[in-house]
Amino acid sequence: MKRVELERRAEAAFRRHRGVLRTSHALKLGIHPRVLYRLRDSGRLVSVTRGVYRLADLPEPSHPDLLVVARRVPQAAICLISALSFHGLTTQIPHEVHIALPRRTRYPRLAHPPLRVFLMTGAAYSEGIETHSIEGVPIRIYGPEKTVVDCFKFRNKIGIDVAVEALRLARERKRVTPRALLQYARLCRVERVMRPYLEALT
């Protein structure tokens, strides 16, 4: 088969998968490594991170760092300030991606983006995870209620001011309910810490 035809078929395979493929997936689809490298070297593919490529003519994804993490660390759940930013509940600008992992999980190693890992156990890790899609890639991220509660739980690491602002914005924008917040606060054992702030906003 001619080189041009092989490249055309490879690009078509990328488009069928919303323009993003891991190298291993591309190989399973029958795309030869030489074809991948030619497409990359000609500028038709760009490297999102090691082992992940996307078509260059697609618009930039809205959350490229989260896309990389979802591809490279699929068991991670986006949490804390990164989740607040995704939900529009903070004025903070994340300089690293905050992820939650179960205890005894090996720390992931990524060249980019920088990660900050928070270890959780049992239901504190598994409850409240939503799945959103970016460029067709499923992103595991805590919902607004669980994220706000986690900010109070980890207030000594991210700052109580971040947690209080998140609670205020979430209530103003009707993204949370007191009942759901208290449910997660009991689960994460911060109900006594959060109650005064909740009562001040009601």
Side-chain angles (χ1 to χ4, degrees):
M1 193 178 297
K2 291 185 178 180
R3 171 174 166 173
V4 173
E5 178 63 15
L6 288 172
E7 293 175 1
R8 188 190 65 76
R9 289 193 175 192
E11 287 185 272
F14 268 84
R15 293 192 192 283
R16 286 197 302 273
H17 292 84
R18 299 179 182 264
V20 181
L21 284 174
R22 290 183 67 94
T23 302
S24 57
H25 192 185
L27 297 180
K28 287 177 183 176
L29 294 173
I31 301 172
H32 196 279
R34 281 197 301 269
V35 177
L36 274 180
Y37 300 143
R38 283 202 302 268
L39 291 173
R40 180 200 63 190
D41 294 344
S42 66
R44 284 174 284 173
L45 286 182
V46 293
S47 176
V48 177
T49 185
R50 186 169 58 86
V52 180
Y53 292 95
R54 62 183 289 276
L55 290 171
D57 61 3
L58 293 179
E60 282 290 325
S62 53
H63 299 276
D65 289 349
L66 303 191
L67 177 61
V68 172
V69 171
R71 286 284 194 180
R72 298 292 306 280
V73 195
Q75 75 274 34
I78 307 300
C79 66
L80 296 168
I81 295 177
S82 296
L84 290 179
S85 178
F86 181 87
H87 293 299
L89 298 177
T90 185
T91 57
Q92 302 288 314
I93 299 173
H95 298 293
E96 54 196 357
V97 178
H98 289 182
I99 61 171
L101 289 172
R103 289 197 185 278
R104 300 185 189 88
T105 302
R106 283 176 56 181
Y107 272 47
R109 294 183 179 180
L110 294 184
H112 183 82
L115 299 178
R116 188 172 180 189
V117 178
F118 295 82
L119 299 177
M120 301 184 187
T121 57
Y125 165 74
S126 61
E127 293 294 316
I129 296 175
E130 300 176 349
T131 301
H132 295 263
S133 179
I134 299 176
E135 301 291 304
V137 176
I139 309 288
R140 289 158 42 85
I141 185 164
Y142 289 112
E145 287 102 344
K146 175 64 160 52
T147 299
V148 169
V149 169
D150 281 341
C151 287
F152 279 91
K153 180 176 180 179
F154 292 98
R155 62 194 180 279
N156 292 335
K157 294 187 176 181
I158 66 169
I160 187 65
D161 55 327
V162 173
V164 173
E165 179 195 54
L167 175 61
R168 177 179 58 79
L169 291 174
R171 292 285 286 144
E172 286 175 359
R173 296 170 185 179
K174 303 188 185 320
R175 301 296 306 280
V176 298
T177 65
R179 182 176 179 180
L181 286 170
L182 285 172
Q183 176 187 339
Y184 285 116
R186 291 186 192 105
L187 176 70
C188 296
R189 300 178 182 176
V190 288
E191 181 181 3
R192 204 161 27 168
V193 173
M194 286 190 67
R195 268 197 181 276
Y197 295 100
L198 275 170
E199 289 168 359
L201 291 173
T202 54

mmCIF file of all heavy atoms in Angstrom, residues 65-87:
data_model
loop_
_atom_site.group_PDB
_atom_site.id
_atom_site.type_symbol
_atom_site.label_atom_id
_atom_site.label_comp_id
_atom_site.label_asym_id
_atom_site.label_seq_id
_atom_site.Cartn_x
_atom_site.Cartn_y
_atom_site.Cartn_z
ATOM 1 N N ASP A 65 -4.415 19.474 30.499
ATOM 2 C CA ASP A 65 -3.691 18.764 31.556
ATOM 3 C C ASP A 65 -4.532 17.620 32.119
ATOM 4 O O ASP A 65 -4.010 16.541 32.423
ATOM 5 C CB ASP A 65 -3.290 19.715 32.680
ATOM 6 C CG ASP A 65 -2.177 20.668 32.260
ATOM 7 O OD1 ASP A 65 -1.587 20.439 31.184
ATOM 8 O OD2 ASP A 65 -1.906 21.626 32.995
ATOM 9 N N LEU A 66 -5.838 17.858 32.265
ATOM 10 C CA LEU A 66 -6.714 16.799 32.775
ATOM 11 C C LEU A 66 -6.802 15.658 31.777
ATOM 12 O O LEU A 66 -6.894 14.482 32.155
ATOM 13 C CB LEU A 66 -8.115 17.345 33.077
ATOM 14 C CG LEU A 66 -8.221 18.507 34.061
ATOM 15 C CD1 LEU A 66 -9.676 18.749 34.452
ATOM 16 C CD2 LEU A 66 -7.368 18.265 35.298
ATOM 17 N N LEU A 67 -6.779 16.004 30.507
ATOM 18 C CA LEU A 67 -6.812 14.988 29.447
ATOM 19 C C LEU A 67 -5.589 14.079 29.546
ATOM 20 O O LEU A 67 -5.706 12.849 29.457
ATOM 21 C CB LEU A 67 -6.858 15.677 28.088
ATOM 22 C CG LEU A 67 -6.826 14.795 26.839
ATOM 23 C CD1 LEU A 67 -8.025 13.866 26.807
ATOM 24 C CD2 LEU A 67 -6.793 15.655 25.582
ATOM 25 N N VAL A 68 -4.419 14.666 29.765
ATOM 26 C CA VAL A 68 -3.198 13.877 29.899
ATOM 27 C C VAL A 68 -3.288 12.951 31.106
ATOM 28 O O VAL A 68 -2.967 11.762 31.030
ATOM 29 C CB VAL A 68 -1.963 14.797 30.026
ATOM 30 C CG1 VAL A 68 -0.722 13.980 30.370
ATOM 31 C CG2 VAL A 68 -1.754 15.582 28.743
ATOM 32 N N VAL A 69 -3.740 13.489 32.233
ATOM 33 C CA VAL A 69 -3.823 12.688 33.454
ATOM 34 C C VAL A 69 -4.806 11.529 33.272
ATOM 35 O O VAL A 69 -4.531 10.393 33.675
ATOM 36 C CB VAL A 69 -4.244 13.565 34.655
ATOM 37 C CG1 VAL A 69 -4.541 12.699 35.879
ATOM 38 C CG2 VAL A 69 -3.143 14.571 34.976
ATOM 39 N N ALA A 70 -5.932 11.794 32.642
ATOM 40 C CA ALA A 70 -6.917 10.736 32.422
ATOM 41 C C ALA A 70 -6.355 9.621 31.562
ATOM 42 O O ALA A 70 -6.645 8.438 31.782
ATOM 43 C CB ALA A 70 -8.171 11.318 31.781
ATOM 44 N N ARG A 71 -5.544 9.980 30.576
ATOM 45 C CA ARG A 71 -4.941 8.982 29.698
ATOM 46 C C ARG A 71 -3.842 8.192 30.403
ATOM 47 O O ARG A 71 -3.716 6.985 30.226
ATOM 48 C CB ARG A 71 -4.349 9.658 28.459
ATOM 49 C CG ARG A 71 -5.376 10.139 27.454
ATOM 50 C CD ARG A 71 -5.943 8.984 26.671
ATOM 51 N NE ARG A 71 -6.682 9.433 25.503
ATOM 52 C CZ ARG A 71 -7.284 8.626 24.647
ATOM 53 N NH1 ARG A 71 -7.249 7.329 24.841
ATOM 54 N NH2 ARG A 71 -7.936 9.099 23.610
ATOM 55 N N ARG A 72 -3.033 8.897 31.208
ATOM 56 C CA ARG A 72 -1.842 8.265 31.784
ATOM 57 C C ARG A 72 -2.073 7.671 33.168
ATOM 58 O O ARG A 72 -1.354 6.759 33.586
ATOM 59 C CB ARG A 72 -0.704 9.289 31.849
ATOM 60 C CG ARG A 72 -0.263 9.835 30.495
ATOM 61 C CD ARG A 72 0.405 8.801 29.620
ATOM 62 N NE ARG A 72 1.512 8.174 30.301
ATOM 63 C CZ ARG A 72 2.727 8.718 30.429
ATOM 64 N NH1 ARG A 72 2.964 9.912 29.907
ATOM 65 N NH2 ARG A 72 3.688 8.083 31.055
ATOM 66 N N VAL A 73 -3.056 8.221 33.926
ATOM 67 C CA VAL A 73 -3.319 7.728 35.289
ATOM 68 C C VAL A 73 -4.822 7.470 35.412
ATOM 69 O O VAL A 73 -5.548 8.207 36.098
ATOM 70 C CB VAL A 73 -2.847 8.754 36.359
ATOM 71 C CG1 VAL A 73 -2.776 8.097 37.735
ATOM 72 C CG2 VAL A 73 -1.514 9.379 36.000
ATOM 73 N N PRO A 74 -5.333 6.449 34.736
ATOM 74 C CA PRO A 74 -6.791 6.257 34.656
ATOM 75 C C PRO A 74 -7.484 5.999 35.989
ATOM 76 O O PRO A 74 -8.686 6.238 36.119
ATOM 77 C CB PRO A 74 -6.936 5.044 33.718
ATOM 78 C CG PRO A 74 -5.604 4.368 33.740
ATOM 79 C CD PRO A 74 -4.589 5.437 33.971
ATOM 80 N N GLN A 75 -6.740 5.549 37.017
ATOM 81 C CA GLN A 75 -7.376 5.296 38.314
ATOM 82 C C GLN A 75 -7.489 6.556 39.162
ATOM 83 O O GLN A 75 -8.127 6.548 40.217
ATOM 84 C CB GLN A 75 -6.615 4.209 39.100
ATOM 85 C CG GLN A 75 -5.283 4.666 39.721
ATOM 86 C CD GLN A 75 -4.117 4.550 38.759
ATOM 87 O OE1 GLN A 75 -4.254 4.731 37.554
ATOM 88 N NE2 GLN A 75 -2.947 4.238 39.297
ATOM 89 N N ALA A 76 -6.892 7.657 38.710
ATOM 90 C CA ALA A 76 -6.921 8.904 39.475
ATOM 91 C C ALA A 76 -8.292 9.572 39.387
ATOM 92 O O ALA A 76 -8.997 9.454 38.384
ATOM 93 C CB ALA A 76 -5.850 9.863 38.962
ATOM 94 N N ALA A 77 -8.634 10.278 40.444
ATOM 95 C CA ALA A 77 -9.823 11.143 40.441
ATOM 96 C C ALA A 77 -9.340 12.578 40.636
ATOM 97 O O ALA A 77 -8.595 12.855 41.587
ATOM 98 C CB ALA A 77 -10.797 10.753 41.544
ATOM 99 N N ILE A 78 -9.725 13.474 39.733
ATOM 100 C CA ILE A 78 -9.330 14.881 39.856
ATOM 101 C C ILE A 78 -10.006 15.452 41.097
ATOM 102 O O ILE A 78 -11.216 15.279 41.297
ATOM 103 C CB ILE A 78 -9.746 15.673 38.605
ATOM 104 C CG1 ILE A 78 -9.218 15.010 37.320
ATOM 105 C CG2 ILE A 78 -9.276 17.123 38.707
ATOM 106 C CD1 ILE A 78 -7.722 14.878 37.241
ATOM 107 N N CYS A 79 -9.233 16.152 41.928
ATOM 108 C CA CYS A 79 -9.787 16.605 43.205
ATOM 109 C C CYS A 79 -9.329 18.022 43.536
ATOM 110 O O CYS A 79 -8.577 18.654 42.793
ATOM 111 C CB CYS A 79 -9.373 15.647 44.326
ATOM 112 S SG CYS A 79 -7.593 15.610 44.681
ATOM 113 N N LEU A 80 -9.841 18.507 44.670
ATOM 114 C CA LEU A 80 -9.441 19.763 45.286
ATOM 115 C C LEU A 80 -9.397 20.941 44.306
ATOM 116 O O LEU A 80 -10.380 21.176 43.600
ATOM 117 C CB LEU A 80 -8.119 19.560 46.031
ATOM 118 C CG LEU A 80 -8.266 18.548 47.206
ATOM 119 C CD1 LEU A 80 -6.917 18.139 47.735
ATOM 120 C CD2 LEU A 80 -9.137 19.113 48.308
ATOM 121 N N ILE A 81 -8.300 21.687 44.243
ATOM 122 C CA ILE A 81 -8.317 22.927 43.459
ATOM 123 C C ILE A 81 -8.524 22.644 41.974
ATOM 124 O O ILE A 81 -9.202 23.418 41.276
ATOM 125 C CB ILE A 81 -7.036 23.746 43.704
ATOM 126 C CG1 ILE A 81 -6.984 24.215 45.162
ATOM 127 C CG2 ILE A 81 -6.990 24.965 42.782
ATOM 128 C CD1 ILE A 81 -5.716 24.966 45.538
ATOM 129 N N SER A 82 -7.992 21.539 41.466
ATOM 130 C CA SER A 82 -8.208 21.199 40.053
ATOM 131 C C SER A 82 -9.678 20.938 39.777
ATOM 132 O O SER A 82 -10.215 21.352 38.742
ATOM 133 C CB SER A 82 -7.367 19.977 39.665
ATOM 134 O OG SER A 82 -5.993 20.264 39.769
ATOM 135 N N ALA A 83 -10.348 20.251 40.698
ATOM 136 C CA ALA A 83 -11.784 19.995 40.534
ATOM 137 C C ALA A 83 -12.587 21.282 40.701
ATOM 138 O O ALA A 83 -13.552 21.525 39.966
ATOM 139 C CB ALA A 83 -12.255 18.936 41.532
ATOM 140 N N LEU A 84 -12.192 22.124 41.655
ATOM 141 C CA LEU A 84 -12.871 23.422 41.821
ATOM 142 C C LEU A 84 -12.786 24.236 40.538
ATOM 143 O O LEU A 84 -13.772 24.845 40.104
ATOM 144 C CB LEU A 84 -12.241 24.216 42.965
ATOM 145 C CG LEU A 84 -12.456 23.729 44.398
ATOM 146 C CD1 LEU A 84 -11.723 24.645 45.361
ATOM 147 C CD2 LEU A 84 -13.941 23.647 44.747
ATOM 148 N N SER A 85 -11.600 24.271 39.941
ATOM 149 C CA SER A 85 -11.416 25.022 38.704
ATOM 150 C C SER A 85 -12.303 24.465 37.597
ATOM 151 O O SER A 85 -12.923 25.228 36.851
ATOM 152 C CB SER A 85 -9.940 24.973 38.296
ATOM 153 O OG SER A 85 -9.731 25.653 37.077
ATOM 154 N N PHE A 86 -12.367 23.152 37.470
ATOM 155 C CA PHE A 86 -13.205 22.512 36.453
ATOM 156 C C PHE A 86 -14.667 22.907 36.635
ATOM 157 O O PHE A 86 -15.375 23.187 35.662
ATOM 158 C CB PHE A 86 -13.053 20.997 36.538
ATOM 159 C CG PHE A 86 -13.866 20.242 35.523
ATOM 160 C CD1 PHE A 86 -13.363 19.993 34.254
ATOM 161 C CD2 PHE A 86 -15.142 19.787 35.829
ATOM 162 C CE1 PHE A 86 -14.112 19.303 33.313
ATOM 163 C CE2 PHE A 86 -15.896 19.093 34.895
ATOM 164 C CZ PHE A 86 -15.381 18.857 33.634
ATOM 165 N N HIS A 87 -15.124 22.955 37.894
ATOM 166 C CA HIS A 87 -16.527 23.274 38.183
ATOM 167 C C HIS A 87 -16.793 24.778 38.267
ATOM 168 O O HIS A 87 -17.928 25.198 38.485
ATOM 169 C CB HIS A 87 -16.959 22.619 39.501
ATOM 170 C CG HIS A 87 -16.995 21.116 39.450
ATOM 171 N ND1 HIS A 87 -17.815 20.419 38.576
ATOM 172 C CD2 HIS A 87 -16.321 20.173 40.162
ATOM 173 C CE1 HIS A 87 -17.647 19.117 38.765
ATOM 174 N NE2 HIS A 87 -16.743 18.940 39.706
#
